[in-house]
């Protein structure tokens, strides 16, 4: 018999993944061009050509024993140094090799840092709607996830409710901007106010509260939106980054954590994260991909591709009477379900071969997430189905 905890995980297994599997089945049945799969955040822009070049060059140039070998659990030092310098030049920070730990994507990074920080019963705060895996990652280390309810007018973090939920057990706060699933970018003013609350609470409780910035979508922004670099606003900030979206490499599992020297117990945290990487069984982030990342620090994905999709989907759905805020970043649209039971709406969309994810997966029922990291044609071809849905709910006559 499998472990009790696993029984729960299996039972509540990600609706997103379930939808993705369903999409593959439907594509086999109806033909891929007749299924409009908006379920998964799998980038549809190919990795930059420089990634392929880096891989082939590395295979030619590097000693294969080094390239494919074990290294420090935190990653290759030259790679970590290169990443630190890149961050410093972009954000005016002063990181060095000791501040970077290479990780198995953002997911690996979050698990490493939560393993490093959490004692059983410690509370981790997340703002609804949030990436549903935060709940499992927190539970992996017997932490308790505390949810701040959403401000559905703006989907900016609800700071009053946030302040109310911080206790002497609060160990960490996870923020994600640009946000999955809303596409919202937290403004500098929001960050300043959040930092002030955290500082005040640290003083009041005599505790350390670590702010974890989960930012796989940092570079995916539109209309010139600015994404503040959070380590500059609050001393106990940890950044989790990933190349999954920015270089379209989700299957390669590569990212890093930033553990600034300003953290309370910084050195302990840096060495504990090194050990956590090992004992969680990652051992180290994929070696070849670490080197690829270091060679591609200046590469960018084609944001204009996602922007075109954003305009087409947002414009199309609003015209049909659906209601949602216009995303400033990432590649998701978070749409109000025309009926309270958004799972019923998702089921009805499925009849139109449109696959979308219920907001309950993000602790925000009554909404659905539509991932627009798809081919432009998928959006265009799905519109008649969206229109039939809108008519059936009386959104358009
Ligand atoms: N955090 C957020 C907000 C995400 O949306 C995702 C993936 O979609 C992840 C973390 C995990 O990303 P990675 O592939 O880097 O593990």
């Amino acid at each position: 018999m499998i472990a009790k905890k696993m029984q729960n995980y299996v039972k509540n297994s990600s609706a997103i993944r379930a939808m993705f599997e369903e999409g593959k089945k439907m594509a086999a049945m109806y033909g891929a061009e007749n299924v409009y799969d908006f379920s998964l955040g799998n980038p549809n822009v190919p990795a930059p050509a420089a990634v392929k070049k880096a891989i082939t060059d590395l295979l030619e140039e590097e000693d294969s024993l080094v390239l494919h070998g074990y290294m420090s659990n935190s990653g290759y030092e030259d790679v970590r140094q290169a990443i630190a310098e890149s961050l410093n030049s972009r954000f005016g920070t002063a990181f060095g090799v000791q501040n970077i730990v290479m990780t198995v994507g953002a997911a690996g990074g979050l698990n490493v840092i939560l393993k490093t920080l959490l004692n059983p019963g410690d509370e981790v705060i997340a703002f609804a709607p949030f990436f549903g895996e935060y709940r499992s990652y927190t539970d992996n280390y017997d932490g308790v996830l505390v949810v701040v309810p959403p401000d559905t007018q703006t989907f900016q973090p609800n700071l009053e409710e946030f302040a109310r939920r911080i206790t002497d057990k609060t160990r960490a706060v996870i923020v994600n901007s640009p946000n999955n699933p809303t596409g919202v970018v937290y403004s500098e003013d929001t960050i300043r106010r959040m930092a002030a609350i955290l500082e005040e609470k640290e003083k009041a409780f005599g505790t350390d509260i670590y702010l974890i910035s989960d930012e796989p979508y940092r570079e995916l922004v539109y209309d010139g939106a600015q994404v503040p670099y959070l380590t500059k606003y609050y001393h106990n900030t940890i950044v989790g980054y990933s190349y999954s979206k920015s270089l379209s490499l989700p299957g390669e599992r590569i990212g890093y954590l930033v553990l600034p020297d300003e953290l309370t117990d910084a050195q302990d945290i840096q060495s504990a994260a090194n050990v956590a990487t090992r004992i969680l069984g990652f051992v180290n982030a994929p070696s070849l991909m670490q080197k690829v990342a270091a060679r591609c620090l200046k590469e960018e994905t084609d944001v204009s591709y996602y922007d075109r999709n954003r305009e087409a989907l947002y414009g199309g759905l609003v015209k049909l009477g659906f209601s949602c805020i216009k995303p400033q970043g990432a590649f998701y649209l978070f749409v109000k379900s025309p009926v309270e039971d958004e799972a019923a709406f998702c089921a009805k969309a499925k009849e139109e071969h449109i696959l979308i994810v219920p907001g309950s997966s993000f602790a925000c029922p009554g909404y659905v997430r539509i991932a627009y990291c798809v081919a432009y044609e998928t959006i265009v071809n799905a519109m008649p189905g969206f229109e039939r849905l809108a008519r059936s709910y009386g959104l358009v006559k």
Side-chain angles (χ1 to χ4, degrees):
M1 180 123 84
I2 60 170
K4 280 211 185 78
K5 252 188 170 180
M6 270 320 289
Q7 291 174 18
N8 277 335
Y9 287 138
V10 173
K11 200 167 84 212
N12 304 322
S13 179
S14 165
I16 306 175
R17 283 281 164 177
M19 198 66 91
F20 179 60
E21 295 303 329
E22 182 75 21
K24 284 196 290 188
K25 264 192 227 149
M26 286 174 69
M29 269 157 63
Y30 305 113
E33 69 286 4
N34 298 315
V35 178
Y36 315 111
D37 187 349
F38 298 99
S39 62
L40 204 62
N42 213 359
N44 201 50
V45 174
V51 168
K52 184 174 175 186
K53 183 169 184 328
I55 293 171
T56 49
D57 285 356
L58 281 160
L59 291 174
E60 289 296 326
E61 291 165 18
E62 293 265 322
D63 177 345
S64 76
L65 292 178
V66 175
L67 188 59
H68 302 307
Y70 290 129
M71 81 298 300
S72 154
N73 300 123
S74 296
Y76 289 114
E77 295 197 346
D78 60 332
V79 170
R80 293 156 63 204
Q81 182 64 36
I83 289 173
E85 283 168 16
S86 158
L87 292 172
N88 297 343
S89 70
R90 281 184 290 155
F91 305 117
T93 48
F95 300 129
V97 66
Q98 77 283 6
N99 301 119
I100 309 294
V101 174
M102 301 307 294
T103 63
V104 177
L110 286 167
N111 275 276
V112 165
I113 198 58
L114 292 173
K115 173 94 177 159
T116 298
L117 294 178
L118 295 188
N119 287 307
D122 280 353
E123 293 175 355
V124 177
I125 296 183
F127 296 88
F130 56 82
F131 181 55
E133 302 286 50
Y134 293 163
R135 195 175 285 287
S136 323
Y137 299 164
T138 301
D139 190 52
N140 282 346
Y141 313 104
D142 296 322
V144 177
L145 195 78
V146 174
V147 178
V148 179
D151 169 355
T152 53
Q153 293 303 307
T154 62
F155 285 112
Q156 287 285 334
N158 188 334
L159 294 181
E160 272 173 30
E161 294 291 338
F162 170 55
R164 227 175 276 158
R165 279 165 179 73
I166 301 175
T167 71
D168 59 354
K169 290 214 184 76
T170 307
R171 187 77 170 133
V173 177
I174 307 179
V175 291
N176 166 226
S177 166
N179 184 264
N180 172 12
T182 64
V184 157
V185 173
Y186 293 3
S187 67
E188 188 175 25
D189 178 55
T190 299
I191 300 303
R192 281 192 200 286
R193 286 190 292 135
M194 189 181 283
I197 293 170
L198 285 167
E199 264 158 31
E200 186 198 310
K201 296 288 181 183
E202 278 197 331
K203 262 201 209 115
F205 292 118
T207 53
D208 285 298
I209 306 174
Y210 294 94
L211 178 64
I212 302 171
S213 177
D214 177 29
E215 42 187 66
Y217 303 98
R218 164 164 286 280
E219 290 83 11
L220 269 65
V221 286
Y222 313 107
D223 303 330
Q226 297 291 319
V227 185
Y229 206 76
L230 300 201
T231 59
K232 298 200 288 195
Y233 299 86
Y234 177 61
H235 72 119
N236 267 333
T237 300
I238 289 155
V239 176
Y241 184 79
S242 165
Y243 293 98
S244 290
K245 320 287 172 169
S246 61
L247 290 184
S248 297
L249 296 174
E252 300 296 348
R253 316 303 307 130
I254 185 73
Y256 59 83
L257 284 170
V258 182
L259 305 170
D261 292 333
E262 289 75 15
L263 298 175
T264 311
D265 302 324
Q267 279 185 8
D268 287 350
I269 290 175
Q270 290 156 4
S271 41
N274 183 69
V275 175
T277 300
R278 196 185 79 230
I279 66 177
L280 282 172
F282 297 128
V283 182
N284 54 252
S287 58
L288 174 61
M289 283 302 135
Q290 289 189 39
K291 297 271 184 186
V292 170
R295 288 195 182 196
C296 294
L297 289 170
K298 294 218 165 82
E299 294 303 318
E300 289 172 3
T301 193
D302 182 3
V303 175
S304 69
Y305 180 99
Y306 296 124
D307 196 10
R308 183 175 178 227
N309 285 357
R310 176 182 77 125
E311 294 291 353
L313 188 64
Y314 174 78
L317 293 188
V318 167
K319 214 160 121 196
L320 291 173
F322 288 100
S323 115
C324 63
I325 52 156
K326 191 170 188 181
Q328 289 177 284
F331 39 46
Y332 308 102
L333 211 62
F334 205 53
V335 180
K336 191 161 172 41
S337 168
V339 280
E340 203 181 316
D341 177 6
E342 88 277 8
F345 174 50
C346 292
K348 200 142 187 207
K350 207 169 110 192
E351 290 171 16
E352 294 289 348
H353 297 183
I354 293 174
L355 303 181
I356 52 182
V357 181
S360 300
S361 301
F362 307 93
C364 193
Y367 288 79
V368 296
R369 188 192 77 172
I370 309 181
Y372 58 84
C373 45
V374 296
Y376 179 71
E377 291 68 36
T378 302
I379 293 170
V380 173
N381 295 337
M383 272 305 152
F386 277 119
E387 183 167 354
R388 282 188 292 274
L389 283 169
R391 281 189 200 289
S392 75
Y393 289 110
L395 300 179
V396 279
K397 296 277 168 311

